[in-house]
Amino acid sequence: MWIRKRRGWEISESAATPEHVFRGRRRFLRGAAGLALAPALLACEKEAGAQGDGELAEVDPSAGLYPFERNARYELDRELTPEADATSYNNYYEFGTSKNIVKAAQKLPIRPWALTIEGMVEQPLTIDIDDLMKRMPLEERLYRHRCVEAWAMAVPWSGFPLAALVELAKPASDAKFLRFESFLMPEVADGQSEPWYPWPYVEGLTLAEATNELAFMVTGMYGKPAPKQNGAPLRLALPWKYGFKSSKGIQRIVFTAEQPVGLWQAIQGSEYGFYANVNPAFAHPRWSQESERLLGSGDRVPTQIYNGYGEFVAQLYPDQNDRRYFY
Ligand SMILES: Nc1nc2c(c(=O)[nH]1)N[C@H]1C(S)=C(S)[C@@H](COP(=O)(O)O)O[C@H]1N2
Ligand SMILES: [Mo]
């Protein structure tokens, strides 16, 4: 998502951090050990964590809830992206402008984590992430993800429909949009000391988009809590939109009558708009959107309108020839 100069995301995937080695080992330990061996697991995690500074040993209190039952309604037309690729090639400007931010992201404290819901709602609410998960209908979904930079992945996300959260919030009748605000912690997120970006990360949806069945709040991926670099403990998955709409590290949702201005839109509104629905027919001003590169295999495949999710969302947009819905 570069704006002015060429940035570090041009590095090859194989040059990205070997975090998956560490993760693979941790996964094995978790699976094999179970609760009785939790202290041993902790010890191992400490040891593993010591390999990279800032990687603190933390056992996610929600870990026991996983895996969630898969909702078979959402089918893929492609292989799942290998976990090691989806969790090591990341876009998270709070932690740097390269795709190699795994290590930096480990500094983010994800417990306790409160979500605040406010603005035009019946009852403003602040709720702890683990309490929220107890109240939400948890499930797993396989979704495609298409970054505006023309790379893509296919991920088993765990979470709950955003519509369930909207129902909990009870929006006022004149609320029209949701504004999602991510964390603001410049003391742990080095990228937030970069004054040129209008932190915190902000994105928005119309109420109709937010209550569309596809809009999904993510807490986990690959059958376990999401790693920090992928947006733990709470992010969005909006598979019909370019990836920048799917905010990570969400702390606040504001119901409003005004269309929110996203961080990228604020910086470069001619290139990154509010709707940002995937459409190969509308090129980005600086590159084509006709095809995408799959993380993992590196294969190039044609991009589909609404990223292939037209049957779910096309009715939300009155004109598929109007660029304003597609950047
Ligand atoms: N808070 C925050 N959320 C974010 C971003 C970001 O920089 N900060 N990048 C976005 C972009 S451009 C993409 S493609 C996805 C990447 O998610 P991933 O790292 O899990 O692949 O996160 C989106 N959400
Ligand atoms: Mo992206």
Side-chain angles (χ1 to χ4, degrees), residues 154-187:
V155 173
W157 299 115
S158 304
F160 52 86
L162 177 55
L165 194 58
V166 172
E167 203 178 310
L168 180 73
K170 297 196 184 65
S173 59
D174 43 357
K176 291 193 174 63
F177 300 95
L178 284 73
R179 188 171 78 239
F180 297 85
E181 297 179 10
S182 299
F183 67 86
L184 184 60
M185 301 185 203
E187 64 287 2

Side-chain angles (χ1 to χ4, degrees), residues 1 91 93 99 145-151 201 242-245 264:
M1 187 82 110
N91 194 315
Y93 272 57
K99 290 293 185 286
H145 172 100
R146 171 55 157 85
C147 175
V148 73
E149 296 159 5
W151 56 268
Y201 198 89
Y242 291 120
F244 69 88
K245 297 294 295 182
W264 293 112

Side-chain angles (χ1 to χ4, degrees), residues 19-243:
E19 160 82 348
H20 59 279
V21 175
F22 158 67
R23 295 206 71 79
R25 173 158 163 248
R26 183 156 74 170
R27 185 160 64 251
F28 168 73
L29 288 169
R30 215 170 242 155
L35 268 184
L37 294 179
L41 171 62
L42 242 167
C44 289
E45 290 215 322
K46 280 212 175 83
E47 185 200 305
Q51 293 169 359
D53 46 318
E55 285 175 347
L56 295 177
E58 290 172 76
V59 174
D60 192 307
S62 70
L65 298 173
Y66 292 85
F68 303 169
E69 197 179 324
R70 183 172 295 176
N71 184 337
R73 185 166 158 81
Y74 308 102
E75 292 173 351
L76 291 180
D77 61 348
R78 57 188 66 168
E79 297 285 303
L80 281 175
T81 301
E83 181 183 354
D85 296 298
T87 59
S88 66
Y89 183 89
N90 299 100
N91 194 315
Y92 213 164
Y93 272 57
E94 284 87 336
F95 298 105
T97 57
S98 84
K99 290 293 185 286
N100 186 6
I101 53 80
V102 171
K103 204 167 164 186
Q106 304 317 305
K107 284 194 227 156
L108 182 69
I110 59 168
R111 291 293 189 289
W113 188 277
L115 175 70
T116 295
I117 299 174
E118 60 186 12
M120 303 172 78
V121 293
E122 217 167 85
Q123 186 64 59
L125 169 85
T126 293
I127 186 168
D128 174 78
I129 182 70
D130 295 300
D131 293 337
L132 177 66
M133 286 176 75
K134 282 181 204 137
R135 294 176 64 170
M136 291 289 111
L138 304 175
E139 60 179 66
E140 180 181 76
R141 296 183 180 188
L142 311 184
Y143 274 173
R144 293 184 292 273
H145 172 100
R146 171 55 157 85
C147 175
V148 73
E149 296 159 5
W151 56 268
M153 59 183 179
V155 173
W157 299 115
S158 304
F160 52 86
L162 177 55
L165 194 58
V166 172
E167 203 178 310
L168 180 73
K170 297 196 184 65
S173 59
D174 43 357
K176 291 193 174 63
F177 300 95
L178 284 73
R179 188 171 78 239
F180 297 85
E181 297 179 10
S182 299
F183 67 86
L184 184 60
M185 301 185 203
E187 64 287 2
V188 296
D190 289 344
Q192 292 189 325
S193 299
E194 164 66 75
W196 193 59
Y197 297 94
W199 304 113
Y201 198 89
V202 168
E203 263 307 337
L205 291 173
T206 66
L207 193 53
E209 291 175 324
T211 52
N212 183 275
E213 66 169 285
L214 283 186
F216 199 55
M217 295 295 301
V218 167
T219 60
M221 60 198 292
Y222 296 92
K224 50 192 181 288
K228 295 179 180 185
Q229 62 271 22
N230 291 91
L234 192 63
R235 69 168 290 168
L236 274 165
L238 305 167
W240 74 101
K241 292 180 177 288
Y242 291 120

